[in-house]
Amino acid sequence: MFSTEEYIARRAKLKELMGSGLVLLMGNEEVGINFEDNIYPFRQDSSFLYFFGIQTNGLAAIIDLESGEELIFGDDPSIDHIVFSGPIESLQSQAAKVGVTHVKSGTDLSDYLGEAVSKGKKVHYLPPYRAEHALKLTDLLHVPTSKLKEQSSTELIKAIVQLRTIKSEAEVVEIEKALNVTVDMHYKAMEMAQPLIKESDVYGAVSQIALAKGVGTSFPPIVTINGQILHNHYRGNELKEGDMLLCDCGAEIASGYAGDLTRTFPVSKKFSKDQKEIYNIVFEAYSTAVALLKPGRLFLDVHLAACEKIVEGLIAFGLMKGNAKEAVAEGAHTMFFQCGLGHMLGLDVHDMENLGEQYVGYTDTLKQRTDFGFRSLRLGRALEEGMVVTVEPGIYIIPELIDLRKKEGKYLDFVNYEMLEKYRDFGGIRIEDVFLITPEEGGRILGNRLPGSAAEIEEFMLSHQRL
Amino acid sequence: MFSTEEYIARRAKLKELMGSGLVLLMGNEEVGINFEDNIYPFRQDSSFLYFFGIQTNGLAAIIDLESGEELIFGDDPSIDHIVFSGPIESLQSQAAKVGVTHVKSGTDLSDYLGEAVSKGKKVHYLPPYRAEHALKLTDLLHVPTSKLKEQSSTELIKAIVQLRTIKSEAEVVEIEKALNVTVDMHYKAMEMAQPLIKESDVYGAVSQIALAKGVGTSFPPIVTINGQILHNHYRGNELKEGDMLLCDCGAEIASGYAGDLTRTFPVSKKFSKDQKEIYNIVFEAYSTAVALLKPGRLFLDVHLAACEKIVEGLIAFGLMKGNAKEAVAEGAHTMFFQCGLGHMLGLDVHDMENLGEQYVGYTDTLKQRTDFGFRSLRLGRALEEGMVVTVEPGIYIIPELIDLRKKEGKYLDFVNYEMLEKYRDFGGIRIEDVFLITPEEGGRILGNRLPGSAAEIEEFMLSHQRL
């Protein structure tokens, strides 16, 4: 929770940025896992949380842009509910803490909106990412489900993106709290990594820290000896000598803010010669990118610089050939670095992703590219003071991708396919930290610092026994 | 996964029990937490899992009751998806393992159903508990969202309840696996419980075991010093001398089966005099109920016997007065035992709860009671060989309920309100184990046995240091 004044100020700025009509923000609902009452951990919608701060399910909020009136719609629990679930702070009292005095029953929302619409007021709402919202919005606004996304308010999206992009000091404090729990998760993973341990054991241990010290993980942790599988959620492998373990995880804390860090470390405590050389290429790309962070710089350019560093390193190593700049221009680096260099982070681990990457990471004049590799770059636009971004270069050797590109006859001038065949099973390496953009420091690393270079990683692995 | 034959046999039995038309089973979808791609752990729908066994999202299955044809609708991942998510077994191959040869694209489902409906075939579907299903079913069957529940198939519900109620030997093996992980979770909780530890630390530790040894928890673990709050998910309290910690948790394993056990134990390693006396009342009720389990016995009668034991104990202790049978007839026991004695357990922790308690736990002639206490009894009907049920009596002293009933002037002949005031903050105690109903043993406890009696609990607490 932030101060009442911060919530009031956020809504005041939103009103300034918006024209006329009503802003409707839907809070999230509970979701049944395998039946209605067995629910997933509740997560409030991030934009609702940003402007209204209440962590209760089933709410909606309205800001009348003309009268300035702010209302929260929802209902206090019944006595039956209190008997089973314990006393709960009244909605009126929770609303007062975020500076809202008008609280109405949830059942009043439909009439309220109906009246507004009949008066010709526009209702600005965000594109739904939960089916419960789609059902509710269709009911409330009489917009067919299939039209909900296209009729959502670009004006509202752009205003919210503008506000949530720049983190307040209080928000940075929360992000650092989340990152510090995340740092503990990584230390635990590095301490545990040794032969005979299973990926799922490390997954359980890092989750434990997030659950005990935060409210859980900010996304399903990736804990894998197959780091080249970017969206890997299989965790059945046993670690063995010579493996690298890639751990990409983050905690979410009570206020809703997310952590997100990645480290890749050797199960045998020391990297093999090849592993260390390729690790160093990734670390070079990481260092190059970090040094380039500053207000005004296009993140797309930082990404391209990291791509070039990766290609230069791989040319020296032998897996690539030719000219690095040309290779990146042709997209040949996507044989090894298939995704984006980073993304914004805040209340969401990929901050505001539900609002649309084109609005969050790009501008009216800088459009997101659609070619392989670049279409996964969530952030391209100029960095601004107060932005919080991840920097996470990697090298991933993906057998399926090698076979595909070979078949297509692609990148023959830049990829040494013959040598690459010998590295088919190398795996993947990623290094990820989180930075606040400031005029003084360019990018200031947030949270307690984890070992980063190969030497630091090895030193930690060699000096720490498994807990 | 079970044998191909077991899946084929389950579907054959379903066909025998059903009349004409099509059975449509919807597999579950992914659900975004705070944006579309940041997803909750995937959980397949339990009935889909029971008959079709495939743990992939976005599937649907059809059984044509006339032709006997069985089809799975879904799509294999694209090459793009494989590049990012690694190789995945084809749907055709997964389907073959459960004895299904007809696999069609997910986009064919709409036409397939449209054609069937145009021929006058009835489509039997289950009531949806996820909004994604509601949206899809409305689209597929042209039933308005608000009518989906009432137009779902009672015939299909009853047939599935009949089948899923009786567990096969292979299912019991899975349930015992889930319970054995759950037993480990409880040992961990008991080992950790000591002053200065927080509820959330224990919550994290029991979750870790479920995540590392299973696929997660079968429901959000309840780990609380306020055991009287039945649906407590606050975990911010620090344990202190004199507290009791109530831990109600379960693991879910890869096959989808659930564990569910509860223990209540003293943070000071030994119960206080009052705690032990009230614990013993709950344990007596538990033992009485367990001894009554047998095929043919109404679970409602077992529940009533446990209620009487609780009242007898509380009369001896002094918190209640009068005649125990009369007290239960009047509902006075619900001052202390507000919920049901147990429920079935299987693929769902409250097995088949989404199919409707009236069909799962009751019969056409034995209806679920609607009065306080009894309306929370999920199972009333006669036990059958092969059923798996929990037995979980408890005593809960709920300040809000005392105040409410006092104001209403209720149970004055049975409750010693004056003495109860002194016990307002006593808390709550529950003991829960899982039993298989057999003709030979009545109720056979499943899984490794945890300490149960107060003496066993204290012995364990005194002899185990925190891990």
Side-chain angles (χ1 to χ4, degrees), chain B residues 110-347:
Chain B
S110 181
D111 284 352
Y112 188 96
L113 285 170
E115 204 187 308
V117 169
S118 74
K119 286 182 186 158
K121 285 195 184 179
K122 178 171 170 57
V123 179
H124 299 271
Y125 67 89
L126 297 175
Y129 55 92
R130 293 247 190 120
E132 299 82 27
H133 280 180
L135 284 174
K136 272 204 173 178
L137 286 170
T138 291
D139 246 29
L140 289 167
L141 304 175
H142 310 290
V143 176
T145 313
S146 58
K147 301 273 180 199
L148 280 170
K149 276 211 174 164
E150 86 187 55
Q151 293 190 26
S152 66
S153 168
T154 309
E155 189 185 348
L156 179 60
I157 289 173
K158 286 183 171 179
I160 291 182
V161 167
Q162 188 174 332
L163 295 175
R164 285 181 55 191
T165 291
I166 308 304
K167 270 64 181 177
S168 71
E169 277 180 38
E171 284 187 284
V172 172
V173 169
E174 293 302 303
I175 292 170
E176 292 212 271
K177 278 187 210 166
L179 284 168
N180 287 342
V181 179
T182 307
V183 163
D184 289 347
M185 294 160 75
H186 279 276
Y187 279 125
K188 182 80 178 182
M190 288 192 272
E191 283 162 358
M192 281 183 81
Q194 61 176 348
L196 301 183
I197 289 282
K198 284 179 84 169
E199 291 165 341
S200 58
D201 293 323
V202 182
Y203 168 76
V206 301
S207 302
Q208 170 182 15
I209 292 171
L211 289 162
K213 308 296 178 202
V215 295
T217 52
S218 52
F219 58 96
I222 299 172
V223 179
T224 180
I225 56 173
N226 291 307
Q228 78 284 1
I229 305 180
L230 290 162
H231 302 161
N232 195 349
H233 296 296
Y234 178 76
R235 311 180 258 266
N237 295 305
E238 204 172 86
L239 277 51
K240 56 184 193 310
E241 295 290 355
D243 283 340
M244 289 182 292
L245 189 68
L246 184 148
C247 179
D248 183 353
C249 66
E252 179 176 315
I253 57 168
S255 57
Y257 285 81
D260 183 9
L261 298 169
T262 308
R263 286 297 183 272
T264 312
F265 38 92
V267 171
S268 303
K269 297 184 190 291
K270 283 180 79 76
F271 290 106
S272 73
K273 185 169 171 295
D274 279 343
Q275 286 172 349
K276 189 180 283 184
E277 285 184 32
I278 294 181
Y279 190 96
N280 286 340
I281 298 170
V282 179
F283 191 68
E284 266 292 298
Y286 163 92
S287 305
T288 300
V290 171
L292 287 170
L293 298 175
K294 68 168 187 177
R297 174 104 60 198
L298 285 185
F299 196 70
L300 175 61
D301 289 340
V302 186
H303 172 77
L304 288 169
C307 294
E308 270 179 41
K309 272 286 161 197
I310 286 171
V311 174
E312 285 168 15
L314 288 171
I315 290 171
F317 187 77
L319 283 172
M320 292 191 77
K321 56 190 179 183
N323 174 281
K325 265 202 190 332
E326 283 171 28
V328 172
E330 295 285 325
H333 64 285
T334 65
M335 283 297 294
F336 300 95
F337 183 38
Q338 299 81 7
C339 53
L341 180 69
H343 50 80
M344 284 196 272
L345 174 139
L347 280 167

Side-chain angles (χ1 to χ4, degrees), chain B residues 392-408:
Chain B
E392 47 178 313
I395 290 179
Y396 312 101
I397 302 190
I398 304 173
E400 294 77 13
L401 185 63
I402 298 173
D403 296 340
L404 180 68
R405 293 295 180 246
K406 232 176 166 173
K407 215 173 81 185
E408 295 169 338

Side-chain angles (χ1 to χ4, degrees), chain A residues 28 31-46 79-80 82-87 129-132 134-135 145 149 192 200-201 203-205 207-208 211-213 218-220 228-232 252 338-339 347-350 353-354 372 375-376 378 398 400-401 404, chain B residues 28 31-46 79-80 82-87 129-132 134-135 145 149 192 200-201 203-205 207-208 211-213 218-220 228-232 252 338-339 347-350 353-354 372 375-376 378 398 400-401 404:
Chain A
N28 275 344
V31 179
I33 303 172
N34 47 347
F35 51 92
E36 203 175 319
D37 283 346
N38 194 29
I39 50 178
Y40 282 115
F42 175 70
R43 176 52 158 76
Q44 185 56 288
D45 173 71
S46 295
I79 178 72
D80 260 39
I82 289 170
V83 162
F84 284 109
S85 303
Y129 56 92
R130 292 247 190 120
E132 300 82 28
L135 283 173
T145 313
K149 276 210 175 167
M192 282 183 79
S200 58
D201 293 323
Y203 168 77
S207 302
Q208 170 183 14
L211 288 162
K213 308 296 177 202
S218 52
F219 59 96
Q228 78 284 0
I229 304 179
L230 291 162
H231 303 162
N232 195 349
E252 180 177 315
Q338 299 81 5
C339 53
L347 281 166
D348 305 311
V349 58
H350 294 166
E353 186 165 303
N354 61 306
F372 185 80
R375 67 170 170 253
S376 308
R378 291 183 172 82
I398 304 172
E400 294 79 12
L401 186 63
L404 181 68
Chain B
N28 275 344
V31 179
I33 302 172
N34 47 348
F35 51 90
E36 203 174 321
D37 283 346
N38 193 29
I39 49 178
Y40 282 114
F42 176 70
R43 176 52 157 75
Q44 185 56 288
D45 173 72
S46 295
I79 178 72
D80 259 39
I82 289 170
V83 162
F84 284 109
S85 302
Y129 55 92
R130 293 247 190 120
E132 299 82 27
L135 284 174
T145 313
K149 276 211 174 164
M192 281 183 81
S200 58
D201 293 323
Y203 168 76
S207 302
Q208 170 182 15
L211 289 162
K213 308 296 178 202
S218 52
F219 58 96
Q228 78 284 1
I229 305 180
L230 290 162
H231 302 161
N232 195 349
E252 179 176 315
Q338 299 81 7
C339 53
L347 280 167
D348 305 310
V349 58
H350 293 167
E353 184 164 305
N354 60 306
F372 185 79
R375 68 170 169 253
S376 309
R378 290 183 172 82
I398 304 173
E400 294 77 13
L401 185 63
L404 180 68

Side-chain angles (χ1 to χ4, degrees), chain A residues 2-48:
Chain A
F2 299 99
S3 69
T4 310
E5 291 66 36
E6 182 149 351
Y7 289 108
I8 293 172
R10 289 173 182 180
R11 294 193 299 269
K13 282 187 203 153
L14 183 64
K15 289 179 203 170
E16 273 171 36
L17 291 172
M18 297 284 298
S20 60
L22 298 181
V23 168
L24 167 65
L25 291 175
M26 302 294 289
N28 275 344
E29 308 286 327
E30 303 280 19
V31 179
I33 303 172
N34 47 347
F35 51 92
E36 203 175 319
D37 283 346
N38 194 29
I39 50 178
Y40 282 115
F42 175 70
R43 176 52 158 76
Q44 185 56 288
D45 173 71
S46 295
S47 289
F48 187 94

Side-chain angles (χ1 to χ4, degrees), chain A residues 225-438:
Chain A
I225 55 173
N226 291 309
Q228 78 284 0
I229 304 179
L230 291 162
H231 303 162
N232 195 349
H233 296 295
Y234 178 76
R235 312 181 256 266
N237 295 305
E238 204 172 88
L239 277 50
K240 57 184 193 309
E241 294 291 354
D243 283 341
M244 288 183 292
L245 189 67
L246 184 148
C247 179
D248 183 352
C249 65
E252 180 177 315
I253 57 168
S255 56
Y257 285 80
D260 183 7
L261 298 169
T262 307
R263 287 295 184 273
T264 312
F265 37 92
V267 171
S268 303
K269 297 184 189 290
K270 284 180 80 77
F271 291 106
S272 73
K273 184 168 173 295
D274 279 343
Q275 286 171 348
K276 189 180 283 186
E277 284 184 34
I278 294 181
Y279 190 97
N280 286 339
I281 299 170
V282 179
F283 191 70
E284 267 291 296
Y286 163 93
S287 305
T288 300
V290 171
L292 287 172
L293 298 175
K294 69 168 187 178
R297 175 103 60 195
L298 285 186
F299 196 71
L300 175 61
D301 288 340
V302 186
H303 172 78
L304 289 169
C307 294
E308 270 180 41
K309 273 286 161 195
I310 286 170
V311 174
E312 285 169 14
L314 288 171
I315 291 171
F317 187 78
L319 283 171
M320 292 190 77
K321 56 191 179 181
N323 174 282
K325 265 203 190 331
E326 281 172 30
V328 172
E330 295 285 324
H333 63 284
T334 65
M335 281 299 292
F336 300 94
F337 183 39
Q338 299 81 5
C339 53
L341 180 69
H343 51 80
M344 282 196 271
L345 174 139
L347 281 166
D348 305 311
V349 58
H350 294 166
D351 211 25
M352 303 174 274
E353 186 165 303
N354 61 306
L355 300 182
E357 283 174 22
Q358 70 276 29
Y359 302 116
V360 175
Y362 293 84
T363 65
D364 289 347
T365 51
L366 182 72
K367 302 282 179 201
Q368 188 166 18
R369 286 170 61 171
T370 55
D371 45 339
F372 185 80
F374 289 95
R375 67 170 170 253
S376 308
L377 179 63
R378 291 183 172 82
L379 178 62
R381 64 186 170 105
L383 296 169
E384 295 177 65
E385 179 178 358
M387 264 191 185
V388 171
V389 300
T390 68
V391 172
E392 47 179 313
I395 290 179
Y396 313 101
I397 302 191
I398 304 172
E400 294 79 12
L401 186 63
I402 298 173
D403 296 341
L404 181 68
R405 293 295 181 245
K406 233 175 164 174
K407 216 173 81 185
E408 296 169 338
K410 266 196 159 176
Y411 310 135
L412 299 174
D413 294 342
F414 301 109
V415 173
N416 185 344
Y417 280 104
E418 203 183 307
M419 180 174 172
L420 187 50
E421 276 305 324
K422 294 180 204 133
Y423 285 82
R424 270 183 88 82
D425 301 321
F426 175 81
I429 291 169
R430 176 163 63 254
I431 306 168
E432 176 184 22
D433 280 310
V434 176
F435 298 86
L436 172 68
I437 305 303
T438 78

